[in-house]
PDB file of all heavy atoms in Angstrom:
ATOM      1  N   ASP A1482      -8.234  -6.370  -9.708  1.00 81.00           N
ATOM      2  CA  ASP A1482      -6.849  -6.795  -9.489  1.00 81.00           C
ATOM      3  C   ASP A1482      -5.968  -6.588 -10.712  1.00 81.00           C
ATOM      4  O   ASP A1482      -4.835  -6.129 -10.594  1.00 81.00           O
ATOM      5  CB  ASP A1482      -6.809  -8.263  -9.072  1.00 81.00           C
ATOM      6  CG  ASP A1482      -7.377  -8.477  -7.678  1.00 81.00           C
ATOM      7  OD1 ASP A1482      -7.390  -7.507  -6.898  1.00 81.00           O
ATOM      8  OD2 ASP A1482      -7.805  -9.610  -7.376  1.00 81.00           O
ATOM      9  N   GLN A1483      -6.483  -6.940 -11.868  1.00 86.00           N
ATOM     10  CA  GLN A1483      -5.691  -6.763 -13.082  1.00 86.00           C
ATOM     11  C   GLN A1483      -5.423  -5.285 -13.356  1.00 86.00           C
ATOM     12  O   GLN A1483      -4.371  -4.917 -13.855  1.00 86.00           O
ATOM     13  CB  GLN A1483      -6.399  -7.399 -14.287  1.00 86.00           C
ATOM     14  CG  GLN A1483      -6.510  -8.895 -14.196  1.00 86.00           C
ATOM     15  CD  GLN A1483      -5.153  -9.571 -14.176  1.00 86.00           C
ATOM     16  OE1 GLN A1483      -4.228  -9.132 -14.852  1.00 86.00           O
ATOM     17  NE2 GLN A1483      -5.038 -10.624 -13.397  1.00 86.00           N
ATOM     18  N   GLY A1484      -6.362  -4.443 -13.008  1.00 85.00           N
ATOM     19  CA  GLY A1484      -6.158  -3.002 -13.166  1.00 85.00           C
ATOM     20  C   GLY A1484      -5.093  -2.486 -12.227  1.00 85.00           C
ATOM     21  O   GLY A1484      -4.354  -1.570 -12.571  1.00 85.00           O
ATOM     22  N   GLY A1485      -5.022  -3.053 -11.029  1.00 85.00           N
ATOM     23  CA  GLY A1485      -3.977  -2.660 -10.083  1.00 85.00           C
ATOM     24  C   GLY A1485      -2.597  -2.986 -10.618  1.00 85.00           C
ATOM     25  O   GLY A1485      -1.661  -2.195 -10.494  1.00 85.00           O
ATOM     26  N   ILE A1486      -2.474  -4.137 -11.236  1.00 88.00           N
ATOM     27  CA  ILE A1486      -1.192  -4.514 -11.840  1.00 88.00           C
ATOM     28  C   ILE A1486      -0.895  -3.605 -13.033  1.00 88.00           C
ATOM     29  O   ILE A1486       0.228  -3.132 -13.204  1.00 88.00           O
ATOM     30  CB  ILE A1486      -1.229  -5.999 -12.258  1.00 88.00           C
ATOM     31  CG1 ILE A1486      -1.335  -6.875 -11.017  1.00 88.00           C
ATOM     32  CG2 ILE A1486       0.005  -6.370 -13.073  1.00 88.00           C
ATOM     33  CD1 ILE A1486      -1.673  -8.313 -11.294  1.00 88.00           C
ATOM     34  N   GLY A1487      -1.923  -3.355 -13.845  1.00 89.00           N
ATOM     35  CA  GLY A1487      -1.749  -2.435 -14.969  1.00 89.00           C
ATOM     36  C   GLY A1487      -1.392  -1.039 -14.513  1.00 89.00           C
ATOM     37  O   GLY A1487      -0.570  -0.367 -15.132  1.00 89.00           O
ATOM     38  N   ALA A1488      -2.009  -0.600 -13.413  1.00 89.00           N
ATOM     39  CA  ALA A1488      -1.710   0.729 -12.862  1.00 89.00           C
ATOM     40  C   ALA A1488      -0.261   0.824 -12.413  1.00 89.00           C
ATOM     41  O   ALA A1488       0.401   1.843 -12.618  1.00 89.00           O
ATOM     42  CB  ALA A1488      -2.644   1.041 -11.706  1.00 89.00           C
ATOM     43  N   TYR A1489       0.239  -0.248 -11.801  1.00 89.00           N
ATOM     44  CA  TYR A1489       1.630  -0.270 -11.353  1.00 89.00           C
ATOM     45  C   TYR A1489       2.574  -0.097 -12.538  1.00 89.00           C
ATOM     46  O   TYR A1489       3.461   0.751 -12.512  1.00 89.00           O
ATOM     47  CB  TYR A1489       1.907  -1.590 -10.624  1.00 89.00           C
ATOM     48  CG  TYR A1489       3.352  -1.810 -10.282  1.00 89.00           C
ATOM     49  CD1 TYR A1489       3.942  -1.137  -9.218  1.00 89.00           C
ATOM     50  CD2 TYR A1489       4.124  -2.680 -11.021  1.00 89.00           C
ATOM     51  CE1 TYR A1489       5.270  -1.333  -8.910  1.00 89.00           C
ATOM     52  CE2 TYR A1489       5.455  -2.893 -10.720  1.00 89.00           C
ATOM     53  CZ  TYR A1489       6.025  -2.222  -9.664  1.00 89.00           C
ATOM     54  OH  TYR A1489       7.341  -2.422  -9.358  1.00 89.00           O
ATOM     55  N   TYR A1490       2.358  -0.898 -13.580  1.00 92.00           N
ATOM     56  CA  TYR A1490       3.228  -0.806 -14.749  1.00 92.00           C
ATOM     57  C   TYR A1490       3.041   0.515 -15.500  1.00 92.00           C
ATOM     58  O   TYR A1490       4.010   1.079 -16.015  1.00 92.00           O
ATOM     59  CB  TYR A1490       3.008  -1.988 -15.692  1.00 92.00           C
ATOM     60  CG  TYR A1490       3.578  -3.264 -15.121  1.00 92.00           C
ATOM     61  CD1 TYR A1490       2.770  -4.357 -14.865  1.00 92.00           C
ATOM     62  CD2 TYR A1490       4.929  -3.366 -14.827  1.00 92.00           C
ATOM     63  CE1 TYR A1490       3.282  -5.522 -14.339  1.00 92.00           C
ATOM     64  CE2 TYR A1490       5.460  -4.522 -14.294  1.00 92.00           C
ATOM     65  CZ  TYR A1490       4.634  -5.597 -14.053  1.00 92.00           C
ATOM     66  OH  TYR A1490       5.161  -6.735 -13.525  1.00 92.00           O
ATOM     67  N   PHE A1491       1.834   1.015 -15.550  1.00 92.00           N
ATOM     68  CA  PHE A1491       1.609   2.304 -16.210  1.00 92.00           C
ATOM     69  C   PHE A1491       2.289   3.420 -15.434  1.00 92.00           C
ATOM     70  O   PHE A1491       2.886   4.318 -16.029  1.00 92.00           O
ATOM     71  CB  PHE A1491       0.109   2.593 -16.356  1.00 92.00           C
ATOM     72  CG  PHE A1491      -0.165   3.789 -17.202  1.00 92.00           C
ATOM     73  CD1 PHE A1491      -0.107   3.691 -18.585  1.00 92.00           C
ATOM     74  CD2 PHE A1491      -0.463   5.011 -16.639  1.00 92.00           C
ATOM     75  CE1 PHE A1491      -0.341   4.794 -19.380  1.00 92.00           C
ATOM     76  CE2 PHE A1491      -0.702   6.121 -17.423  1.00 92.00           C
ATOM     77  CZ  PHE A1491      -0.637   6.015 -18.809  1.00 92.00           C
ATOM     78  N   GLN A1492       2.254   3.370 -14.115  1.00 91.00           N
ATOM     79  CA  GLN A1492       2.901   4.405 -13.309  1.00 91.00           C
ATOM     80  C   GLN A1492       4.417   4.326 -13.454  1.00 91.00           C
ATOM     81  O   GLN A1492       5.087   5.358 -13.475  1.00 91.00           O
ATOM     82  CB  GLN A1492       2.486   4.309 -11.843  1.00 91.00           C
ATOM     83  CG  GLN A1492       2.909   5.493 -11.031  1.00 91.00           C
ATOM     84  CD  GLN A1492       2.277   6.808 -11.485  1.00 91.00           C
ATOM     85  OE1 GLN A1492       1.269   6.836 -12.165  1.00 91.00           O
ATOM     86  NE2 GLN A1492       2.899   7.902 -11.109  1.00 91.00           N
TER      87      GLN A1492
END
Side-chain angles (χ1 to χ4, degrees):
D1482 290 337
Q1483 294 297 323
I1486 294 168
Y1489 172 76
Y1490 288 120
F1491 189 79
Q1492 191 63 20

